[in-house]
C-alpha cells in the first residue's frame, strides 16, 4: 500500500478520511486538490505532508502557463506560498517546498525548471522511504523481545513515504522475529489511531489493542508497558517535540511509571531554527472536529471549544530521539542537523 505515488504528471493518493471502511484513491494533476487534501486530512502525517507538498508544487509547475523561466519561478513561488498555508506545524512541509523552490532556482529554461522540480520531488519521496527504513533499524535495537509498546496517532506507511517512523520501529522489530504487542491510542478527535494505526498493524499481523486516549496511564499502571514510541511534527533544537495532541500526557504518564519514552522522526522533522518548543506554531483545528463525531453532533450548540492539533513534549521527558542517522540521548542540541543539501547527497 502506497499512501502517495507520482504517476508522471499526475499524483495518486489514498483518501485517509475514508479508512478503514473504504480504500479510495484520488488521482489529480491539480495542485489545489493536494492542498485541499492536506487541510482536510485526506493526506496527513508530517513526512507525507512534505512529500505531497513537493508533488503539489511539481504539479503546479507542470500546469503553469508560464513560458519564460522567470515567470515560471514566480508561479512556483506563488503556489509554494499557497501550499505553505495548509498546515503550520509539520516543518517537513516547509522543507519540502523550499527544496522544490531551490531546484527551480538555476535552470535556464521553463522546460528545464519543470524537469528539475519533478526530479526533486521524486527524490524527496525516495529519500523519505530510505529514512523510514533506517529509523526502523535504529529503533528496533531498543525493542526487547516480548515488548509491549504503546503508540499514539498514526506514524506508519500512511503518514510517510515509506514504512513509517515510530511504526517502522514496531514493524521492523516484528519482522526481525521479535514478539511485540502494541497498545494504540484512538487519538481524538480525528481518530488516526483507531482508524489507521490499528488497520495498518493488523495488516502486518501485529498484535494490537485499541484503547481510548484516557486509558493510557491506567494501562501503564495496571497492566504493563515496556516502552512508548511516538512520531513528531517538529522537533526544536533543544529536543522539545511537537506531536499529536495527547503526546505530552503520555510522556508525563510514562515518566511517572518509569517507562522509556521515545520519539522517532526523520531529520527532515528537526527544525534547528526553532530554539525551543514554545516557538513551534501549533495548529488549531476547527471546533467541528470536536463537537461532531463522523457527522453526528455530540456537544451542545454554542459550546466553546479549544482544539489544538498538537502539543509540545518537553525534551526533559524524552528518553531518546531516533532518527535515520542515530539514536540521540539528552541533552539534545540539534544545531548540526545535516543541511537539506547534505541530506540530498546521502
Ligand atoms: O494531524 P496529523 O494526523 O497530520 O498528525 C500526525 C501526527 O501527529 C504524527 O504523529 C506525526 O506527523 C508523525 S507521522 C510519522
Amino acid at each position: 500500500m502506497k499512501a502517495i505515488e507520482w504517476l508522471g504528471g499526475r499524483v495518486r493518493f489514498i483518501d485517509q478520511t475514508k479508512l478503514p471502511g473504504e480504500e479510495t484513491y484520488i488521482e489529480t494533476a491539480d495542485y489545489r486538490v493536494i492542498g485541499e487534501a492536506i487541510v482536510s486530512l485526506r493526506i496527513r502525517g508530517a513526512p507525507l505532508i512534505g512529500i505531497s507538498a513537493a508533488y503539489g508544487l511539481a504539479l503546479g509547475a507542470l500546469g503553469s502557463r508560464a513560458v519564460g523561466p522567470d515567470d515560471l519561478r514566480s508561479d512556483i513561488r506563488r503556489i509554494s506560498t499557497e501550499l505553505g498555508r495548509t498546515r503550520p506545524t509539520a516543518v517537513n512541509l516547509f522543507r519540502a517546498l523550499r527544496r522544490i523552490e531551490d531546484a527551480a532556482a538555476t535552470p535556464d529554461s521553463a522546460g528545464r525548471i519543470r524537469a528539475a522540480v519533478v526530479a526533486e520531488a521524486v527524490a524527496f519521496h525516495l529519500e523519505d522511504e530510505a529514512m523510514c527504513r533506517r529509523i526502523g533499524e535504529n529503533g528496533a535495537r531498543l525493542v526487547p523481545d516480548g515488548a509491549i509498546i504503546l503508540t499514539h496517532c498514526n506514524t506508519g506507511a500512511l503518514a510517510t513515504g515509506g514504512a513509517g517512523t515510530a511504526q517502522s520501529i514496531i514493524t521492523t522489530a516484528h519482522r526481525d522475529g521479535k514478539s511485540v504487542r502494541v497498545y494504540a491510542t484512538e487519538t481524538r478527535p480525528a481518530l488516526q489511531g483507531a482508524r489507521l494505526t490499528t488497520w495498518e498493524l493488523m495488516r502486518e499481523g501485529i498484535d494490537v489493542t485499541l484503547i481510548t486516549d484516557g486509558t493510557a496511564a491506567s494501562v501503564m499502571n495496571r497492566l504493563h508497558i515496556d516502552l512508548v514510541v511516538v512520531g513528531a511534527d517538529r522537533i526544536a533544537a533543544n529536543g522539545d517535540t511537537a506531536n499529536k495532541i495527547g503526546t505530552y500526557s503520555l510522556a508525563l504518564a510514562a515518566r511517572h511509571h518509569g517507562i522509556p519514552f521515545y520519539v522517532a522522526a526523520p531529520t527532515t522533522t528537526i527544525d534547528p531554527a526553532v530554539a525551543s518548543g514554545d516557538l513551534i506554531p501549533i495548529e488549531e483545528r476547527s471546533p467541528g472536529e470536536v463537537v461532531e463525531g463522523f457527522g453526528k453532533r455530540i456537544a451542545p450548540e454554542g459550546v466553546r471549544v479549544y482544539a489544538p492539533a498538537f502539543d509540545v513534549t518537553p525534551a526533559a521527558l524524552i528518553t531518546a530521539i531516533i532518527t535515520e542517522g542515530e539514536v540521540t540521548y539528552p541533552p539534545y542540541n540539534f544545531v548540526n542537523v545535516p543541511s537539506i543539501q547534505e541530506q540530498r547527497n546521502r
Side-chain angles (χ1 to χ4, degrees), residues 41 44-47 49 87 152-155 159-160 165 192 231-233 243-244 310:
L41 307 184
R44 40 133 320 266
I49 290 170
R87 296 193 76 188
H152 188 52
C153 196
N154 172 264
T155 62
T160 64
T165 56
Q192 291 92 332
D233 286 80
N243 190 49
K244 178 54 58 189
F310 304 98

Side-chain angles (χ1 to χ4, degrees), residues 34-35 38-39 43 45-57 79-101 124 233-234 268-269 283 340:
I34 302 286
I38 294 173
V39 171
I43 289 173
L48 189 69
I49 290 170
I51 293 161
S52 309
Y55 281 147
L57 200 44
I79 295 167
S80 176
T81 306
E82 214 177 300
L83 289 169
R85 287 200 194 102
T86 51
R87 296 193 76 188
T89 303
V91 73
N92 313 59
L93 170 67
F94 306 100
R95 271 181 184 274
L97 292 172
R98 203 170 84 213
R99 241 180 91 163
I100 303 304
E101 281 190 52
F124 190 75
D233 286 80
R234 193 182 300 219
T268 43
T269 303
E283 174 184 13
I340 290 170

Side-chain angles (χ1 to χ4, degrees), residues 89 230-249 251 261-265 269-271 274-278 280-282 310-322 332 334:
T89 303
V230 298
D233 286 80
R234 193 182 300 219
I235 300 173
N238 72 347
D240 291 350
T241 294
N243 190 49
K244 178 54 58 189
I245 191 76
T247 304
Y248 179 27
S249 317
F261 183 91
Y262 298 115
V263 168
T269 303
I270 298 174
D271 187 355
V274 163
S276 57
D278 51 322
I280 297 176
I282 299 294
F310 304 98
D311 56 25
V312 175
T313 299
L317 295 176
I318 300 171
T319 309
I321 296 178
I322 302 158
Y332 306 108
F334 292 114

Side-chain angles (χ1 to χ4, degrees), residues 6-314:
W6 177 255
L7 302 177
R10 298 182 73 76
V11 166
R12 181 177 188 259
F13 62 90
I14 193 163
D15 181 349
Q16 300 195 30
T17 61
K18 299 268 191 334
L19 288 170
E22 282 173 43
E23 205 170 320
T24 306
Y25 289 83
I26 294 174
E27 217 180 286
T28 186
D30 184 348
Y31 76 88
R32 292 178 202 86
V33 173
I34 302 286
E36 187 283 332
I38 294 173
V39 171
S40 64
L41 307 184
R42 293 180 214 289
I43 289 173
R44 40 133 320 266
L48 189 69
I49 290 170
I51 293 161
S52 309
Y55 281 147
L57 200 44
L59 289 180
L62 294 183
S64 158
R65 294 215 187 98
V67 179
D70 290 337
D71 287 348
L72 181 53
R73 271 189 275 274
S74 128
D75 270 1
I76 288 172
R77 276 195 300 275
R78 177 181 52 76
I79 295 167
S80 176
T81 306
E82 214 177 300
L83 289 169
R85 287 200 194 102
T86 51
R87 296 193 76 188
T89 303
V91 73
N92 313 59
L93 170 67
F94 306 100
R95 271 181 184 274
L97 292 172
R98 203 170 84 213
R99 241 180 91 163
I100 303 304
E101 281 190 52
D102 285 354
T106 45
D108 57 4
S109 74
R112 288 199 186 95
I113 291 177
R114 289 188 174 97
V117 298
V118 167
E120 196 68 9
V122 171
F124 190 75
H125 186 175
L126 290 174
E127 286 166 28
D128 188 71
E129 192 178 357
M131 288 193 279
C132 287
R133 207 170 29 249
R134 292 212 289 256
I135 290 168
E137 288 161 5
N138 289 342
R141 295 191 195 108
L142 302 169
V143 176
D145 189 20
I148 304 180
I149 304 169
L150 192 142
T151 191
H152 188 52
C153 196
N154 172 264
T155 62
L158 289 168
T160 64
T165 56
Q167 205 163 295
S168 174
I169 293 171
I170 297 170
T171 50
T172 303
H174 172 72
R175 286 181 194 164
D176 285 350
K178 289 178 185 166
S179 154
V180 290
R181 283 173 52 203
V182 178
Y183 282 94
T185 54
E186 60 173 351
T187 319
R188 281 280 296 155
L191 301 176
Q192 291 92 332
R195 296 186 301 106
L196 310 176
T197 301
T198 55
W199 184 71
E200 286 196 63
L201 291 178
M202 287 169 82
R203 281 161 61 114
E204 289 277 343
I206 293 175
D207 181 332
V208 57
T209 302
L210 174 64
I211 56 173
T212 64
D213 294 346
T215 306
S218 176
V219 170
M220 292 179 197
N221 183 28
R222 295 171 66 94
L223 301 177
H224 178 80
I225 296 292
D226 290 295
L227 61 107
V228 179
V229 62
V230 298
D233 286 80
R234 193 182 300 219
I235 300 173
N238 72 347
D240 291 350
T241 294
N243 190 49
K244 178 54 58 189
I245 191 76
T247 304
Y248 179 27
S249 317
L250 290 176
L252 286 167
R255 174 58 54 93
H256 180 78
H257 293 95
I259 297 168
F261 183 91
Y262 298 115
V263 168
T267 43
T268 43
T269 303
I270 298 174
D271 187 355
V274 163
S276 57
D278 51 322
L279 300 170
I280 297 176
I282 299 294
E283 174 184 13
E284 282 198 36
R285 299 289 299 179
S286 142
E289 289 180 0
V290 177
V291 299
E292 285 170 16
F294 292 96
K296 189 174 182 300
R297 180 94 199 176
I298 52 175
E301 291 292 343
V303 68
R304 192 179 306 119
V305 174
Y306 172 54
F310 304 98
D311 56 25
V312 175
T313 299

